[in-house]
Amino acid sequence: MAKYYDVHPDNPQPRTISQVADSIRDGALIAYPTDSCYALGCRIGSRDGVDRIRTIRRLDDRHHFTLVCQDFAQLGQFVRVDNDVFRAVKASTPGSYTFILPATKEVPRALQHPKKKTVGVRIPDHVVTQALVGELGEPLLSSTLLLPDEDEPLTQGWEIKDRLDHVLDGVVDSGDCGTEPTTVIDFSGGEAEIVRRGAGDTTRFE
């Protein structure tokens, strides 16, 4: 049964954020809001969390997981970014973008694309997400909360708890956060490749 966390969208309660972060450290899988839509999240080293996300979303091993980072310094620990890519990513963060980049040795092999050795990273422009990642002290391993055979992600915390109560450990609710997932840009080949058009403007990558 998932614990329900009611969090203020503009002034997240520190005690509640701390409780959520503690649960993640203890192995919890949560649903939480971002600047694009809800996501599933767990600790980077949680194999159980990864397996549960794959099961909920019916993902294969080619799926790019995303490391949700607090800032650029944290992002730089987990992916390799050359100067040209640095400028493009820096100009687009924080925001509703996911960037696919070569992973460093800090990223567990199970989270990397099996052939490309890449991983997704993003820095969200969302007060609650920023507070949570800041309290956690490390990126949150994430995947968009888009259920199999459904066209749009779930957007309401109460609905997520109602439908996924049996497979989640927690649901963070800070109000509606929209239905459009992030724009995904793949820089692993050196040039920007638009993989998915979403909430982030793609103009600068075209």
Side-chain angles (χ1 to χ4, degrees), residues 4-17:
Y4 187 78
Y5 301 94
D6 189 6
V7 179
H8 194 282
D10 301 315
N11 297 290
Q13 307 91 313
R15 183 180 177 186
T16 304
I17 293 296

Side-chain angles (χ1 to χ4, degrees), residues 37-109:
C37 56
Y38 262 89
L40 298 169
C42 66
R43 195 171 187 182
I44 290 177
S46 175
R47 290 298 299 269
D48 176 66
V50 170
D51 290 344
R52 290 166 69 189
I53 292 173
R54 288 191 191 280
T55 299
I56 291 169
R57 291 204 53 201
R58 296 183 198 159
L59 302 173
D60 60 29
D61 63 359
R62 295 185 302 278
H63 175 74
H64 269 108
F65 282 97
T66 298
L67 302 181
V68 174
C69 303
Q70 183 180 19
D71 52 32
F72 212 92
Q74 191 178 72
L75 180 149
Q77 299 174 40
F78 295 89
V79 290
R80 298 195 303 275
V81 187
D82 65 26
N83 289 338
D84 290 340
V85 174
F86 175 91
R87 285 191 289 271
V89 174
K90 186 78 171 175
S92 305
T93 55
S96 301
Y97 297 90
T98 297
F99 299 99
I100 297 173
L101 290 161
T104 68
K105 64 179 186 302
E106 301 297 321
V107 180
R109 188 170 296 178

Side-chain angles (χ1 to χ4, degrees), residues 155-170:
T155 62
Q156 301 289 341
W158 61 267
E159 182 185 11
I160 292 168
K161 177 166 170 53
D162 186 52
R163 294 185 59 182
L164 301 178
D165 201 31
H166 59 298
V167 292
L168 296 177
D169 301 306

